[in-house]
Amino acid sequence: MSPRSPEREGAELERRVLTTTVERMVAWARQSSVWPASFGLACCAIEMMCTAAARFDLARFGSELFRASPRQADLMIVSGRVSQKMAPVLRHIYDQMLEPKWVIAMGDCASCGGVFNNYALVQGVDKIVPVDVYVAGCPPCPEALMYGFLMLREKIGAGGGRR
Amino acid sequence: MPGLLKQSIALLRGFLITGRYLFRPPVTVLYPEVKTRVAPRFKGRHWLTRYADGVERCVGCELCVIVCPSQAIYVRAAENTPERQVSKGERHADQFQINMLRCIFCGFCEEACPTGSIVMGQDYELAGYSRASLIYTKPMLTEPYPGASGRDPGREV
């Protein structure tokens, strides 16, 4: 791009003057208030609670409200192993959530079955719901979950992840 | 009337605790800006280390593959030739992959490794948009220069 191309001038103007497109404003609003569903499955849920508590404080990113009703939630953090019996319940909760909605597969078990490579568990929650961000760790420490959450924020801010 | 007084004192005592916490420094860690320090023996992502002279430590024995409880490691060994001496043993790892989404960070691979090649680092920021992006291959795992993983490259094992 040349120093005085129209695109660069447009970007410069946008930086100096408070103008934006509706799409970008909506994306900004969405990424700043992602409300997770309060829904924990196993030991990862303990780390998820810790992420929301005072020390790590997910509220700094506008996500302090863990909604008890999936109809008020935007994000499902699948925190823990999903057994074959739990799979239809999980799908049901996902279907009850309103668009736009996102899913974080937190930890090894939710991402791909982890250490439990057996018939009792779903080998990766992406077999039943579409997953946006995978977080590795067993369980991931609160910072690791927050790192995954910030990756999701970036994705939402770029207008991605809508289905 | 004494009941009301008692209740008012109880209320004030409650507010006193709130007021005391108001002037304490906040406990919140400002994570993305300030990285929290982990314990010295924290088990984070893996590194394949090198000797001080830059030769790879991994000899492709596949003991880490055998010991791994979640079968997260894949190793394909290849023979060292006089022209291409990658490690100090007879063989070296031609392919070395760790699936970070399978790994439970137990550290058994680190214990099993006879040459001390595989070590657990301090990095916990492991997340991705796809499952394939979290399968770490040999170029990603091998430390770029001796000692890059934070371990002394001159150690015995």
Side-chain angles (χ1 to χ4, degrees):
Chain A
M1 231 191 306
S2 65
R4 287 190 61 81
S5 71
E7 295 89 34
R8 179 163 286 194
E9 281 193 349
E12 188 63 23
L13 189 72
E14 208 164 281
R15 196 176 63 80
R16 294 193 179 188
V17 189
L18 191 66
T19 57
T20 183
T21 59
V22 174
E23 203 174 322
R24 282 173 68 175
M25 204 176 79
V26 167
W28 170 78
R30 274 181 181 154
Q31 74 161 7
S32 310
S33 66
V34 185
W35 291 359
S38 79
F39 167 59
L41 287 171
C43 33
C44 279
I46 307 293
E47 299 288 311
M48 183 177 75
M49 288 176 227
C50 187
T51 314
R55 186 165 147 81
F56 296 99
D57 202 11
L58 209 57
R60 288 180 292 143
F61 311 108
S63 298
E64 69 276 33
L65 283 168
F66 274 74
R67 302 311 297 195
S69 164
R71 293 181 209 287
Q72 297 164 355
D74 306 307
L75 168 67
M76 184 162 78
I77 303 175
V78 184
S79 52
R81 74 283 177 279
V82 182
S83 60
Q84 300 285 1
K85 276 204 151 183
M86 194 65 186
V89 183
L90 189 116
R91 179 71 212 190
H92 196 71
I93 291 172
Y94 180 76
D95 287 341
Q96 282 178 333
M97 283 162 63
L98 299 183
E99 295 278 351
K101 52 191 172 184
W102 297 277
V103 178
I104 291 180
M106 179 190 180
D108 288 6
C109 304
S111 300
C112 69
V115 74
F116 303 114
N117 191 359
N118 59 32
Y119 61 85
L121 296 188
V122 177
Q123 295 297 306
V125 79
D126 52 2
K127 296 223 179 353
I128 38 178
V129 292
V131 177
D132 292 291
V133 175
Y134 300 85
V135 183
C138 188
C141 54
E143 294 102 324
L145 175 63
M146 207 173 275
Y147 181 71
F149 181 76
L150 292 171
M151 276 183 82
L152 179 72
R153 260 174 72 99
E154 265 172 39
K155 188 176 180 176
I156 299 169
R162 267 178 291 156
R163 280 178 283 269
Chain B
M1 207 56 195
L4 188 70
L5 190 71
K6 209 174 167 186
Q7 279 172 17
S8 308
I9 288 167
L11 192 72
L12 282 174
R13 277 172 70 186
F15 276 127
L16 201 67
I17 291 168
T18 314
R20 213 183 297 146
Y21 273 87
L22 205 63
F23 295 104
R24 284 184 191 178
V27 292
T28 309
V29 178
L30 300 174
Y31 161 63
E33 292 88 27
V34 185
K35 303 270 186 261
T36 42
R37 275 181 57 117
V38 292
R41 295 177 69 181
F42 181 85
K43 294 191 214 109
R45 67 155 288 180
H46 312 70
W47 286 104
L48 288 176
T49 52
R50 297 170 185 271
Y51 286 107
D53 54 0
V55 179
E56 286 175 16
R57 277 174 181 257
C58 182
V59 292
C61 67
E62 302 183 19
L63 277 177
C64 49
V65 180
I66 295 160
V67 81
C68 183
S70 54
Q71 292 135 32
I73 310 177
Y74 170 74
V75 178
R76 193 175 70 196
E79 296 285 330
N80 280 329
T81 54
E83 299 89 59
R84 194 163 170 275
Q85 190 79 23
V86 182
S87 73
K88 292 193 175 174
E90 284 177 18
R91 302 198 295 172
H92 68 274
D94 183 37
Q95 292 265 321
F96 197 105
Q97 297 173 3
I98 297 181
N99 188 348
M100 289 295 166
L101 288 177
R102 280 272 172 210
C103 175
I104 57 165
F105 303 93
C106 59
F108 282 7
C109 48
E110 193 181 10
E111 278 178 42
C113 188
T115 56
S117 167
I118 184 162
V119 296
M120 312 284 276
Q122 305 270 309
D123 192 11
Y124 49 78
E125 289 174 333
L126 303 162
Y129 294 123
S130 69
R131 271 164 81 156
S133 69
L134 281 154
I135 298 174
Y136 280 31
T137 51
K138 199 183 169 190
M140 297 155 90
L141 290 165
T142 310
E143 55 180 6
Y145 57 89
S149 62
R151 297 295 179 94
D152 173 25
R155 71 192 190 282
E156 278 297 305
V157 170

